[in-house]
Amino acid sequence: MSLGQLLSAPPAIVAAGVDVFSDALRAQGADVTDVDWRPPGFGDPADLAALALDPRRAVANRTAVERLMAAGSQLVDVRPAREVLGLPDRTLLHSGPPLTWDMASGPMRGALIGACLFEGWASTVEEAEKILAAGEITLDPCHHHRTVGPMAGVTSPSMWMWCLSDPVNGGRAFCNLNEGLGKVLRMGAYNEEVLTRLAWMRDVLGPILSRAVRDPIDAGADPLDVKAVLAQMLQMGDEGHNRNRAGSLMTLRELSPAIVEVDAPASDIAAVLKFIGGNEHFFLNLGMPTAKLAMDAARDVPGSSMVTVMSRNGTEFGIQTAGTGDRWFTGPANTPVGLFLGDYGPEDANPDIGDSAIMETYGVGGFTMAAAPAIVRFVGGSVPDALATTERMYQLTLAENPAMQVPILGFRGSPTGIDVLKVARTGWLPQINTGMAGRVAGTGQVGAGLVQPPQECFEKALAALAEESRAAA
């Protein structure tokens, strides 16, 4: 059809939405085709209206975002969990919302078994399973102790912890030390290799790192600015969750002069440097408590619809919001989709697990995939997918964080501050980059991929926030 024919022909009109527009056109003799289309959002319309019309919301969200962005992160110590957390004997922390042994997934059970063997509470796998099933071991989420743990996140009293401090808000946050990749406790493995490594981390790595961190500070040096390292990583091809190469190397550069000054056998010093240098995810366990410090600073802001926690325990996914404090809103964890190691396949992968989604909650990781296009070689997808993901996340968030810039987007600040209302209105869910643990206890890592929270978490949070808005009216 030529342009002249197109303009001379009767108009063909397609209308979507309310009937007022199409009815008016029909009244004028026009031929109108109605399409039953509506925004792909979710939630009770009354709840959406209550939250959207809450007069406190704009100021509350601005307050939460300002606290988040102002938060700093300094590495001030390395200490055993029993000292810095007051973690008593026969108590284990885990990732995600609360769980029991009965509901624990394969990798979570494997990590809990391994921790009992490591602590000497059991001498065999069967004995560990027995005391866990009998409730003789107390289980509690890491998040209840200002702590985060990747994957299973299991933390026992003897494990050494990174201790980070927020110099602006005075908060503290903690995370255990990263074991590396493959068959590791956090992925649910608990064989002799895993237990031997954990013992070495307890007896050698932890004490040396403690001195390397504390001695310079005691001598008057400034603590390591971990937030600054995280910001630099995004300029160097990392996204801060599944890709931490640059961050781990920068951390090694900053700590190595103090490590070699520690009064310890040369063989131990060499082993520590080799371990850090060969562990591309070493920084992750520093980045996570950095994000935790920022999100904790934004807690307890009445009227705010900003998400402060996204976390999963291998069975359930849970979120918390600034306006509802410590309440968990949970749903069944989805299984990641991505790339697999060796002969593993989708049937081997456990549902989503780990506190490491605190990185996306902070606005990096899956939210800054555009800063690390090479990540798609590890988690799947394409470079255009990485760029599109970051662009989409801006539609779900309240602000752009100028401290966390994305070079390929003209150094635009990362999308920061997930808004429950925006998630519900768009129907889009946050994107998370993650590792995949084997479904069967003892397997270890089987791959890495992409995953989203279940919509149910946000539906429950929306309803709770709306209820709180009505109560405050």
Side-chain angles (χ1 to χ4, degrees):
M1 179 182 290
S2 68
L3 180 60
Q5 291 173 318
L6 178 65
L7 294 175
S8 62
I13 303 170
V14 177
V18 295
D19 295 334
V20 175
F21 180 65
S22 54
D23 289 347
L25 289 171
R26 287 193 183 91
Q28 301 175 56
D31 182 16
V32 182
T33 299
D34 289 302
V35 176
D36 184 14
W37 179 90
R38 63 199 66 198
F42 57 81
D44 187 300
D47 289 343
L48 289 165
L51 189 55
L53 298 176
D54 188 335
R56 305 169 301 162
R57 187 171 61 87
V59 173
N61 281 339
R62 184 164 60 249
T63 298
V65 167
E66 288 173 351
R67 291 182 183 177
L68 180 161
M69 291 188 179
S73 176
Q74 295 179 336
L75 175 58
V76 296
D77 212 342
V78 182
R79 284 284 186 270
R82 64 164 47 90
E83 294 181 17
V84 293
L85 302 179
L87 199 61
D89 200 33
R90 300 216 161 208
T91 296
L92 296 175
L93 304 186
H94 62 80
S95 61
L99 57 70
T100 62
W101 173 254
D102 290 341
M103 67 180 289
S105 64
M108 182 63 75
R109 287 191 173 202
L112 294 170
I113 290 168
C116 289
L117 296 173
F118 168 64
E119 290 290 343
W121 301 335
S123 56
T124 66
V125 172
E126 293 73 21
E127 186 179 343
E129 291 176 324
K130 181 178 179 180
I131 62 175
L132 285 161
E136 296 178 23
I137 306 298
T138 300
L139 307 180
D140 206 24
C142 290
H143 273 290
H144 292 183
H145 298 264
R146 298 175 294 167
T147 299
V148 280
M151 301 306 289
V154 170
T155 300
S156 67
S158 298
M159 293 181 184
W160 289 73
M161 310 289 288
W162 294 116
C163 306
L164 277 65
S165 176
D166 174 6
V168 176
N169 300 294
R172 297 289 295 270
F174 309 92
C175 187
N176 55 20
L177 308 179
N178 194 284
E179 307 159 77
L181 295 175
K183 283 192 175 295
V184 289
L185 187 78
R186 72 177 187 277
M187 296 285 183
Y190 53 83
N191 62 14
E192 193 60 35
E193 173 192 351
V194 173
L195 297 177
T196 298
R197 185 189 305 112
L198 288 174
W200 177 81
M201 293 173 71
R202 177 195 62 205
D203 299 336
V204 178
L205 179 63
I208 287 178
L209 287 177
S210 179
R211 294 269 41 99
V213 170
R214 283 295 327 164
D215 288 350
I217 294 174
D218 291 343
D222 292 331
L224 175 63
D225 188 337
V226 185
K227 181 179 178 180
V229 174
L230 180 57
Q232 291 176 64
M233 290 167 58
L234 300 183
Q235 313 292 311
M236 300 170 68
D238 286 348
E239 40 74 66
H241 188 166
N242 253 330
R243 186 178 173 90
N244 292 276
R245 288 184 178 183
S248 296
L249 288 173
M250 282 189 285
T251 302
L252 176 60
R253 181 193 66 186
E254 295 296 325
L255 294 180
S256 58
I259 289 174
V260 299
E261 292 290 337
V262 173
D263 183 14
S267 59
D268 287 347
I269 298 296
V272 166
L273 293 173
K274 182 179 180 180
F275 177 79
I276 299 174
N279 183 354
E280 294 183 358
H281 281 292
F282 187 74
F283 179 83
L284 176 61
N285 293 44
L286 285 164
M288 288 173 57
T290 295
K292 176 65 173 168
L293 283 171
M295 303 319 301
D296 276 358
R299 281 184 176 275
D300 300 319
V301 182
S304 174
S305 52
M306 190 178 83
V307 176
T308 54
V309 168
M310 292 196 298
S311 187
R312 47 273 210 262
N313 59 29
T315 303
E316 288 187 322
F317 194 114
I319 70 172
Q320 297 179 349
T321 77
T324 52
D326 295 332
R327 288 183 62 183
W328 286 98
F329 305 102
T330 63
N334 295 320
T335 301
V337 176
L339 303 179
F340 293 90
L341 303 173
D343 295 329
Y344 292 120
E347 68 281 359
D348 300 306
N350 194 77
D352 199 17
I353 187 170
D355 288 332
S356 55
I358 195 69
M359 303 307 289
E360 281 79 9
T361 316
Y362 183 51
V364 294
F367 280 42
T368 49
M369 285 180 67
I375 193 66
V376 300
R377 300 180 65 183
F378 190 53
V379 300
S382 66
V383 172
D385 291 337
L387 296 171
T389 294
T390 297
E391 290 284 3
R392 188 179 302 115
M393 294 304 99
Y394 285 111
Q395 308 305 311
L396 308 184
T397 49
L398 295 164
E400 299 178 14
N401 188 345
M404 303 294 155
Q405 298 178 350
V406 183
I408 199 170
L409 299 181
F411 294 92
R412 188 177 180 184
S414 67
T416 302
I418 302 166
D419 183 9
V420 171
L421 183 59
K422 289 187 176 184
V423 171
R425 281 175 164 174
T426 62
W428 293 340
L429 294 163
Q431 183 69 70
I432 298 167
N433 295 340
T434 186
M436 285 188 274
R439 184 182 296 273
V440 177
T443 301
Q445 185 171 10
V446 299
L450 304 173
V451 73
Q452 293 179 325
Q455 181 175 302
E456 182 179 341
C457 297
F458 289 87
E459 291 174 339
K460 291 177 178 178
L462 173 67
L465 288 164
E467 180 182 358
E468 196 269 341
S469 294
R470 295 186 189 99

